[in-house]
Amino acid sequence: MRRLLTIALVLCLALSTAHAQEKTSEAKAFFRAGIQAFNAGNLDKARRLLESAASKGLSSRSLNYNLGVVYYKLGLYEEAGQTFRTLIPTRQKALAYYNIGLTALARENRDSATKAFQNVLASDADDNLVSLATRQLERLDPTMHTAAPRKRWAGLISVGGGYEDNVALFPDTAPKKLDSGFVETLAAASYYLYGDSPAGLRSDIKFFSRQYPSEHTFDLQVIQAGAKWVQKTAPGTISVGLGGDYIWRDRRSRERRARLMAGITTLDCPGPGARCLVRAEATQIFPLPGFDAYRGQMYRVVAHYRLRPGNWTAEFKYRAHYNDRDNLDTGDEFFSVSPERHGLDAGIEYDLSDQLSIEAGAGFRFSYYRTPHQLIIPEGRQTIRREDKRHTMSVGTTYRFSRRTSLSLDLDRTDNDSNIDRYSYDRHTVTASLAVGF
């Protein structure tokens, strides 16, 4: 009898699980069909389908946001406001407040609209939302927005540690590799010396340190500082500025750098929640004595595309580097340190909840050294133009205690394949870090 009851219970659980999975699949189908109806301009059908998805148990920020937008466009402002309010406890709090302000304006409730737009400014919103909310406040009352000034500064501190299994980047043919734990620190801050995000002079400073307690030879510290003019325009946010870097290796000064930089960021690119960025830099390197081979120029271009459909975030990045250094000539051998590089990186992130997300990424970089190496090998002298193909893979997870505080765990693998054996290597790294923004 007990066995029959156990079998019956297992069957009930299996049937219940199958039914739940069927309902979830059906709810997602309603959601996708609702988005298609919305894009086709059929708002009534979109409403019915999205409401059906919700009634089937689907619960996500993307569903609530899109349903709120449909209600708003149909003139159902009360329902729209209530739906947007469900997003206040999430990472989209600032966007929720902005849309709540729009629904209040549509209902001609100026006091509620004013409060909602002021909440946007108090929610650490991105520059675009800050600008939009401020513009609405100025329309409501030209003197009111001064009571809620834009944030003029921001900062981040991250402290972590981890393990690396090939600190010295020994080649694959090496009989033994050098591994070590490390401690990592990152601190960054930005401050508007004049004006603010729509138009102003912004200063930035960053400090990065990685120390290997058992292998100080590979310790690295970098300080970067700069100032740039930031201007919002019709195409996007344009920035132009100057900067400088100071780099230490093994606790000794390694090189100084001077940078000229320019870039443009725009939200006017295809895809939900999309953002596009293009940045260019020209750098002059001033090495300290003992590192004269690295003297010269470096030019970089970066193109970055990000989109956020629902709980997903996807990023794609292209990087191009061109180096013109003095190179290293020992008399017997010649080593080029002037690579031309092209790299592609892709990453995805999925929010399992408002607190927990998982990430994965992959990248490829091709490096081409224009001047051939001249090496002494057992067979004699070898003249060869170095080419490297580097592959990277990463997985990670982040837990957010609050909007400003998060804990991350990352696993990384790097595999560099070179036509010169001594430069082929692989490396695995695990890092845990705690970050606090302010």
Side-chain angles (χ1 to χ4, degrees):
M1 181 69 177
R2 183 178 300 173
R3 184 179 179 187
L4 289 175
L5 288 173
T6 302
I7 293 172
L9 178 60
V10 170
L11 285 173
C12 287
L13 287 172
L15 290 172
S16 176
T17 302
H19 179 64
Q21 291 176 341
E22 183 180 348
K23 285 190 67 176
T24 300
S25 178
E26 188 179 3
K28 289 182 178 179
F30 278 128
F31 175 72
R32 289 191 293 268
I35 296 300
Q36 290 175 355
F38 176 81
N39 291 334
N42 193 335
L43 297 178
D44 289 319
K45 183 178 179 181
R47 174 191 173 185
R48 291 195 302 271
L49 289 167
L50 293 177
E51 287 178 339
S52 296
S55 68
K56 292 291 183 180
L58 184 62
S59 177
S60 71
R61 287 176 292 168
S62 181
L63 172 61
N64 291 347
Y65 177 77
N66 284 286
L67 188 54
V69 171
V70 169
Y71 284 146
Y72 180 85
K73 288 185 174 292
L74 287 172
L76 303 172
Y77 302 124
E78 189 67 34
E79 291 86 343
Q82 292 175 359
T83 305
F84 288 133
R85 287 186 184 280
T86 64
L87 298 172
I88 291 177
T90 73
R91 293 168 64 189
Q92 292 179 321
K93 177 171 68 173
L95 180 60
Y97 277 128
Y98 182 76
N99 286 320
I100 290 169
L102 293 181
T103 60
L105 279 179
R107 290 185 285 115
E108 299 183 356
N109 189 335
R110 296 171 64 89
D111 290 340
S112 294
T114 297
K115 183 178 179 180
F117 293 133
Q118 287 177 335
N119 283 335
V120 174
L121 302 183
S123 300
D124 290 335
D126 61 42
D127 288 347
N128 186 57
L129 275 178
V130 167
S131 179
L132 291 172
T134 302
R135 197 174 305 151
Q136 294 290 353
L137 287 170
E138 289 173 346
R139 291 171 180 169
L140 287 164
D141 185 339
T143 65
M144 187 176 297
H145 74 284
T146 58
R150 298 181 179 112
K151 190 173 181 181
R152 294 175 59 87
W153 64 276
L156 172 74
I157 295 176
S158 174
V159 179
Y163 169 80
E164 194 172 311
D165 70 351
N166 190 4
V167 178
L169 302 184
F170 284 155
D172 299 336
T173 55
K176 185 179 178 181
K177 295 179 181 179
L178 195 63
D179 64 337
S180 175
F182 61 84
V183 177
E184 193 172 270
T185 305
L186 171 67
S190 298
Y191 179 75
Y192 279 93
L193 301 169
Y194 174 82
D196 47 35
S197 56
L201 181 64
R202 194 182 85 186
S203 61
D204 300 286
I205 186 167
K206 300 176 185 177
F207 171 74
F208 174 79
S209 171
R210 177 176 283 193
Q211 298 188 13
Y212 299 89
S214 61
E215 301 293 341
H216 288 300
T217 303
F218 303 99
D219 287 353
L220 172 67
Q221 291 85 35
V222 180
I223 289 181
Q224 293 183 322
K228 57 186 177 183
W229 182 265
V230 179
Q231 180 76 48
K232 285 188 179 295
T233 65
T237 301
I238 296 174
S239 62
V240 178
L242 299 171
D245 310 337
Y246 205 107
I247 301 174
W248 292 264
R249 279 279 193 184
D250 189 17
R251 303 180 182 180
R252 295 181 297 175
S253 298
R254 171 72 177 261
E255 64 185 41
R256 296 185 294 265
R257 298 179 177 183
R259 289 179 288 118
L260 173 64
M261 47 197 174
I264 180 170
T265 303
T266 179
L267 302 179
D268 188 19
C269 41
R275 185 185 72 173
C276 301
L277 177 150
V278 178
R279 185 176 69 246
E281 292 183 2
T283 304
Q284 177 67 46
I285 294 93
F286 304 95
L288 276 295
F291 303 98
D292 298 307
Y294 295 92
R295 184 183 307 278
Q297 298 79 40
M298 177 172 60
Y299 306 93
R300 294 193 289 187
V301 174
V302 177
H304 183 201
Y305 173 67
R306 185 200 72 189
L307 70 161
R308 287 180 170 170
N311 288 1
W312 293 89
T313 299
E315 295 184 285
F316 304 92
K317 187 179 293 186
Y318 167 74
R319 310 179 195 218
H321 290 195
Y322 181 88
N323 286 268
D324 186 13
R325 311 291 188 96
D326 285 353
N327 300 318
L328 177 61
D329 189 346
T330 66
D332 294 325
E333 294 183 298
F334 180 88
F335 301 87
S336 173
V337 294
S338 300
E340 178 181 333
R341 288 176 168 152
H342 299 273
L344 290 172
D345 297 283
I348 56 172
E349 177 182 347
Y350 181 73
D351 293 333
L352 297 171
S353 68
D354 291 328
Q355 288 76 38
L356 183 64
S357 62
I358 53 176
E359 307 99 26
F364 173 78
R365 188 183 74 181
F366 176 73
S367 299
Y368 172 82
Y369 291 73
R370 299 182 309 281
T371 306
H373 281 50
Q374 296 181 17
L375 309 174
I376 296 177
I377 59 175
E379 294 79 8
R381 181 178 293 274
Q382 180 186 36
T383 299
I384 182 172
R385 183 176 282 106
R386 178 181 169 186
E387 294 182 2
D388 289 7
K389 297 176 182 177
R390 191 184 74 175
H391 301 83
T392 58
M393 295 181 64
S394 64
V395 293
T397 183
T398 299
Y399 183 83
R400 289 173 288 275
F401 299 99
S402 67
R403 180 177 175 83
R404 294 187 177 93
T405 306
S406 63
L407 179 67
S408 298
L409 176 66
D410 297 288
L411 303 173
D412 300 278
R413 172 186 168 85
T414 301
D415 186 1
N416 193 70
D417 182 19
S418 177
N419 63 339
I420 302 178
D421 289 343
R422 68 179 72 179
Y423 299 118
S424 293
Y425 66 88
D426 63 76
R427 177 180 61 191
H428 301 82
T429 307
V430 57
T431 309
S433 59
L434 177 67
V436 180
F438 54 89

